[in-house]
Amino acid sequence: MWRALAFLALLAVAAYGATWVADHPGTVTIVWNGYEVATSLAIGLIGVLIAAILVGFLWAIVRGFITLPETLVRGSRDRRRAKGFSALSRGMVAVGSGDPLAARRHASDAERLLGAEPLTLLLKAQAAQISGDREAAEQAFQRMVNDPETRVLGLRGLFVEARRREDDASARAYAAEAARLAPSVTWANEAVLEAQCADGNWSDANETVERRASLGLIDKATARRQRAVLLTAAAQEREAGEPEAATERVLKAVKLAPDLVPAAVLAARLMVRRGDLRKAAKILEATWRAGPHPDVAKTYLNLRTGDSVRDRMARAETLAKISSWHPEARLAMAQAAFEARAFDQAREALAPLLADRPTVRACLAMARIEEAEHGAGSGRAREWLARAAHAPRDPLWIADGIASETWAPVSPISGRLDAFVWKTPTELLPGAHGADSAEQTEPSLPLPPHAPPAPAPLSSTKAETPASDAKPAEPKPATVLFPTETKAEPARPAEAARTDGTAPVAAAMAQAAAAPLAAGTPSPVVFPPPRTGEDAKPRRAG
């Protein structure tokens, strides 16, 4: 639009000029070297215009000859860069498709045509990585570190290579340097946080979380949760030696994340040590409302060691009313009723849990009740023990495929903060993986003599029962940045005989406790022997 208007304006100016020259005729006379040339004004202007065009044409020819070498060099350089970027593009495609030979060939072509470009070095490093040439990959990343423009990218590559060769010290150094140069780099901040958690440096880890939140790398809710986990971990370390510092930290954790079960349980223990039972109960009740958990129930029922079994039943009823009779509340109620020898009330509490597929804890609780009321040789007790051997498992703390009965602030596999989640381990249906599924079975609980045959067990993804003549598989080294080591406690042998007629349940619980944590074996409900005589009477707390 504007170009058309400009063209029309120039055309109007030219027409006006031609009209003006026609209306004002004149003569132009040129005298040079004894010659005199006279012509009209219009012819003179036309001659000047033709002369200007000729001069411009001659100047273009001369300039073309002068700049010809530079033009040829620039054209060759442009064609070379075009070929180089084409080789770079093909190399990236080869890396993505997993073709090491094509990737290395295109990387060599790109380096020859483009030189030490950042993308060329990156392609060369990735081609060396998929080819298995770690030394060449590290050399390429080191060249990138030497260039200020690609320093952070090179540090990322060196960090990955250090993790692959399990050099934790070098990996930490690369991550710390990258975080210093570029504070907003996500991978560097996460690696620094994992290193601090692996070392148990909870205060520095808390500062890292706050910095990540201020930079917008994580949302506020995640930051509050991670800070609560770090404060809980610090409080657990100080519980024995520095109870006041532990109390201060764990109360902050409870305030940041009221649904964090380990923080609430630890805070309640510390409040009980101070003698503040009311505040301890309020903390546990708030966490119970957020999500019922057996650790919360156990701590709540035993806030005061001097309480009678009737007092614990009253506390269990309180938890049941708060959670609208959640399954965990029913299990807690059944335990309290069993201790009070109110077997009918214990059965009534467990009845809804036994309707469909009772879990291991529910089955063992019923077996315990039947043995206490009818004796160890009763058929009902043996039936519940048989069902407990292959019943669905109860929820556990699970992180990165590892099941544990105890909570930890970081994953023992990946070092990730707040990785443990309370959930039921995954189970596989029989035949899901063909013949192999028959070998992946749960460790069975021992059955009493003359017990009825148990149904076919469900196979599990967390535990395997190898054959007696098979060689144990060698563990494969995992690519873990900061691994932590977990050790299972040695199994305690079951008692040979019990005078109260509970030997089968004791043996079942002993083998369940001996199962490794990584296998995901749930912890059964352990009922102490019922009180008799004067011990069963309610007592008032002092």
Side-chain angles (χ1 to χ4, degrees), residues 103-191:
R104 296 181 66 176
R105 183 177 68 254
H106 292 308
S108 300
D109 294 341
E111 186 179 18
R112 176 175 54 84
L113 295 172
L114 297 177
E117 289 284 341
L119 290 178
T120 303
L121 295 175
L122 179 60
L123 175 60
K124 186 176 180 181
Q126 290 184 344
Q129 282 181 329
I130 65 173
S131 300
D133 191 353
R134 304 300 180 196
E135 184 177 355
E138 290 188 8
Q139 291 178 359
F141 286 126
Q142 189 61 51
R143 291 175 60 187
M144 298 173 69
V145 171
N146 297 332
D147 188 352
E149 295 182 357
T150 59
R151 183 166 297 166
V152 177
L153 181 58
L155 289 172
R156 172 65 185 274
L158 293 176
F159 168 77
V160 172
E161 291 300 321
R163 290 186 60 181
R164 285 181 176 175
R165 66 173 183 268
E166 298 183 358
D167 187 356
D168 295 341
S170 299
R172 296 184 182 192
Y174 294 140
E177 180 66 15
R180 184 185 66 82
L181 295 175
S184 60
V185 176
T186 304
W187 68 267
N189 282 274
E190 292 178 352

Side-chain angles (χ1 to χ4, degrees), residues 137-468:
E138 290 188 8
Q139 291 178 359
F141 286 126
Q142 189 61 51
R143 291 175 60 187
M144 298 173 69
V145 171
N146 297 332
D147 188 352
E149 295 182 357
T150 59
R151 183 166 297 166
V152 177
L153 181 58
L155 289 172
R156 172 65 185 274
L158 293 176
F159 168 77
V160 172
E161 291 300 321
R163 290 186 60 181
R164 285 181 176 175
R165 66 173 183 268
E166 298 183 358
D167 187 356
D168 295 341
S170 299
R172 296 184 182 192
Y174 294 140
E177 180 66 15
R180 184 185 66 82
L181 295 175
S184 60
V185 176
T186 304
W187 68 267
N189 282 274
E190 292 178 352
V192 170
L193 180 61
E194 290 178 3
Q196 292 168 344
C197 292
D199 294 338
N201 194 353
W202 310 118
S203 58
D204 290 349
N206 199 359
E207 294 178 0
T208 302
V209 170
E210 293 179 354
R211 183 174 66 253
R212 294 180 66 192
S214 63
L215 294 173
L217 300 179
I218 54 176
D219 56 88
K220 294 182 178 180
T222 303
R224 289 172 63 89
R225 174 77 180 189
Q226 291 184 352
R227 289 182 58 199
V229 170
L230 293 172
L231 289 171
T232 304
Q236 286 179 341
E237 290 185 352
R238 291 171 170 80
E239 180 183 6
E242 304 176 37
E244 293 299 327
T247 303
E248 179 183 357
R249 284 167 172 78
V250 77
L251 290 179
K252 290 181 180 178
V254 170
K255 185 177 181 180
L256 291 171
D259 59 339
L260 186 58
V261 173
V265 172
L266 178 57
R269 288 203 305 265
L270 293 172
M271 289 294 100
V272 170
R273 188 182 300 182
R274 282 186 173 185
D276 194 348
L277 299 179
R278 180 176 298 179
K279 188 171 184 179
K282 288 183 178 179
I283 293 174
L284 293 174
E285 289 173 0
T287 306
W288 183 265
R289 289 189 182 94
H293 194 278
D295 291 346
V296 176
K298 179 180 179 181
T299 307
Y300 189 78
L301 265 61
N302 297 278
L303 278 179
R304 289 184 296 189
T305 56
D307 286 348
S308 65
V309 292
R310 298 294 178 182
D311 296 330
R312 285 195 286 274
M313 283 186 63
R315 290 186 178 275
E317 290 178 357
T318 302
L319 293 180
K321 293 177 182 179
I322 291 175
S323 60
S324 301
W325 289 94
H326 188 273
E328 289 295 341
R330 291 187 175 276
L331 289 170
M333 187 66 193
Q335 178 178 351
F338 175 83
E339 294 175 355
R341 299 190 64 81
F343 300 128
D344 292 337
Q345 190 171 353
R347 288 192 184 92
E348 182 181 356
L350 293 174
L353 306 182
L354 309 175
D356 188 11
R357 294 182 63 199
T359 62
V360 174
R361 293 171 63 196
C363 292
L364 290 179
M366 283 298 300
R368 179 72 177 184
I369 293 171
E370 295 295 341
E371 286 190 359
E373 188 173 9
H374 302 292
S378 64
R380 291 182 179 179
R382 290 181 296 174
E383 178 184 356
W384 283 113
L385 284 175
R387 294 183 65 178
H390 308 296
R393 292 174 294 178
D394 296 274
L396 289 170
W397 291 110
I398 298 178
D400 297 328
I402 297 298
S404 173
E405 294 181 355
T406 57
W407 175 86
V410 296
S411 169
I413 300 299
S414 63
R416 182 165 52 94
L417 179 64
D418 192 24
F420 278 95
V421 180
W422 182 258
K423 64 179 182 180
T424 304
T426 305
E427 292 182 349
L428 296 179
L429 294 177
H433 294 282
D436 296 338
S437 62
E439 299 179 0
Q440 299 177 356
T441 57
E442 287 282 345
S444 301
L445 297 176
L447 301 180
H450 310 291
L458 290 175
S459 60
S460 170
T461 59
K462 303 295 182 216
E464 296 184 358
T465 306
S468 59

Side-chain angles (χ1 to χ4, degrees), residues 19-65:
T19 303
W20 186 86
V21 171
D23 293 341
H24 299 81
T27 302
V28 176
T29 302
I30 299 176
V31 178
W32 181 70
N33 199 19
Y35 295 94
E36 181 179 346
V37 179
T39 182
S40 62
L41 178 60
I43 298 299
L45 291 176
I46 293 173
V48 171
L49 181 60
I50 293 174
I53 292 174
L54 291 175
V55 171
F57 181 72
L58 292 174
W59 172 248
I61 294 174
V62 173
R63 185 178 180 182
F65 277 108

